[in-house]
Amino acid sequence: MIEYAKLTPGVGFSPVNSLLYYLQRIVQHRPMRGIVAKAIARSIAILHPMDIQDVADHPHQTSVISDLERDGYAILTPLVQDDALREILSFLETKEVVGPDAQRCLVSDLPIGTRTAPYPLETVLHCPHILALANHPMVLRVAAEYLGCKPTLSSIGIRWSYPTPHPATDVQRFHRDLDDWRTVKLFIYLTDVDQESGPHTYVAGSHRVPSPVFARSYSQAELIDQYGTSSLRSILGPRGTSFLADVYGIHCGMVPVNRPRLILQIQYSLLPIYAFRYVPMTVPQTNHTDMYINRLMIDPKGRDRHGV
């Protein structure tokens, strides 16, 4: 999890971050957002061209882009093999998560009734295979084509969601992510997910509909009335199931009923998310990593201040 920046007056307040973050929130007219996003993308493409020689075409790339443009999400062929999944889970098994009181503890020590529990960012970045997945050539190529420029890796996290009788948290209610002018996010299930273990549910086509200026949650009845029952798509599958989504569209992670869900989320955007306070850290095996894409997460010259 990445810490939030101070966007309102007070200690640590960043007026520039606040201005840049809320500016893109205020502009909700879809054509205007598109014009601004394309202008930003063109500027980035000039300053930081994507080296297409290093990112080979993928046979399913065209259909993935088509699905993203039409529905707002696209199912991918699995990006991670089962042996790599076992290594990821084995690494995380002994690592602490951030509990509901913001204190770190092992998963086994989480208090009863915990709804969600993310791993600290340093744990995620040191976890085997995670940075390789974030820099998967096909994913970067799709993200670049969808955004219109070399993408910025702007958030990354691994989070547990647990069955609980308590009300859903914000991310478990239907909502939009209003983080940047244009974003696309990679999701990978690290546990098996069926209808009762908290599937990610996306409202197909909602990424093309303007959002209100102020963020809000949506009821399922409201969404069915506006978009139709068939537009609510729950993504089910075994661990390793991978998909991309434009999270400007309405979505949620449903509350698990009988089994917890573990999910990896990696977001690509045009710009940094100005609501976040980035502290890049040194991680191993970054010699062949594009440092523009990863600049918010990785500091190749700095000391690792967050030992795992």
Side-chain angles (χ1 to χ4, degrees):
M1 59 182 294
I2 301 173
E3 294 183 13
Y4 284 96
K6 177 69 173 174
L7 299 180
T8 55
V11 177
F13 172 55
S14 173
V16 174
N17 279 28
S18 184
L19 174 63
L20 293 171
Y21 177 69
Y22 286 113
L23 178 62
Q24 63 85 22
R25 291 281 296 267
I26 291 170
V27 180
Q28 293 304 317
H29 185 247
R30 288 294 288 168
M32 181 56 69
R33 283 187 70 87
I35 290 170
V36 175
K38 287 179 181 178
I40 294 171
R42 287 194 192 103
S43 298
I44 294 171
I46 293 170
L47 295 171
H48 305 281
M50 190 80 173
D51 188 347
I52 61 174
Q53 300 300 321
D54 293 339
V55 188
D57 286 317
H58 189 276
H60 302 301
Q61 181 178 319
T62 300
S63 63
V64 168
I65 293 293
S66 177
D67 289 349
L68 275 172
E69 296 285 3
R70 183 188 66 244
D71 295 328
Y73 75 99
I75 307 298
L76 307 176
T77 54
L79 300 177
V80 55
Q81 300 302 313
D82 206 54
D83 56 346
L85 278 168
R86 285 193 292 270
E87 289 182 38
I88 292 170
L89 293 172
S90 177
F91 177 87
L92 295 175
E93 187 176 9
T94 59
K95 300 298 183 290
E96 295 180 327
V97 294
V98 181
D101 56 359
Q103 297 298 311
R104 298 188 182 191
C105 65
L106 295 175
V107 166
S108 58
D109 295 329
L110 283 168
I112 295 173
T114 296
R115 293 172 292 189
T116 61
Y119 286 92
L121 179 61
E122 63 270 21
T123 298
V124 176
L125 292 179
H126 283 79
C127 184
H129 308 292
I130 298 303
L131 274 174
L133 288 168
N135 289 275
H136 191 288
M138 188 273 289
V139 173
L140 293 183
R141 184 63 178 262
V142 169
E145 185 169 345
Y146 191 71
L147 297 175
C149 63
K150 181 179 285 192
T152 286
L153 173 57
S154 55
S155 75
I156 185 168
I158 300 175
R159 182 176 64 232
W160 282 103
S161 297
Y162 292 98
T164 174
H166 297 311
T169 65
D170 290 343
V171 295
Q172 294 174 326
R173 303 186 186 100
F174 283 104
H175 65 284
R176 298 177 186 267
D177 291 353
L178 306 175
D179 289 339
D180 191 25
W181 295 98
R182 190 165 171 86
T183 64
V184 64
K185 184 176 284 190
L186 171 66
F187 297 86
I188 300 178
Y189 289 154
L190 301 180
T191 53
D192 297 341
V193 175
D194 59 18
Q195 197 64 56
E196 296 190 333
S197 48
H200 182 93
T201 301
Y202 193 94
V203 182
S206 60
H207 65 305
R208 299 192 300 270
V209 178
S211 77
V213 172
F214 298 103
R216 59 180 288 254
S217 59
Y218 301 81
S219 70
Q220 187 164 313
E222 175 185 4
L223 295 173
I224 290 173
D225 183 61
Q226 180 173 355
Y227 296 95
T229 304
S230 63
S231 293
L232 273 66
R233 314 275 179 84
S234 290
I235 299 172
L236 313 177
R239 66 182 189 179
T241 296
S242 310
F243 54 99
L244 285 162
D246 181 336
V247 288
Y248 184 84
I250 301 170
H251 62 282
C252 77
M254 304 296 284
V255 179
V257 175
N258 61 9
R259 285 199 312 273
R261 183 198 72 175
L262 183 64
I263 192 169
L264 167 65
Q265 304 178 64
I266 303 169
Q267 181 166 270
Y268 307 91
S269 55
L270 296 172
L271 301 169
I273 306 306
Y274 292 106
F276 290 153
R277 187 176 70 85
Y278 294 107
V279 181
M281 62 187 69
T282 302
V283 297
Q285 299 179 343
T286 59
N287 292 339
H288 303 292
T289 301
D290 186 305
M291 291 312 302
Y292 173 80
I293 293 173
N294 294 269
R295 68 193 185 282
L296 303 178
M297 305 295 158
I298 298 174
D299 178 6
K301 297 180 181 179
R303 292 186 305 111
D304 188 346
R305 290 157 285 183
H306 303 274
V308 179

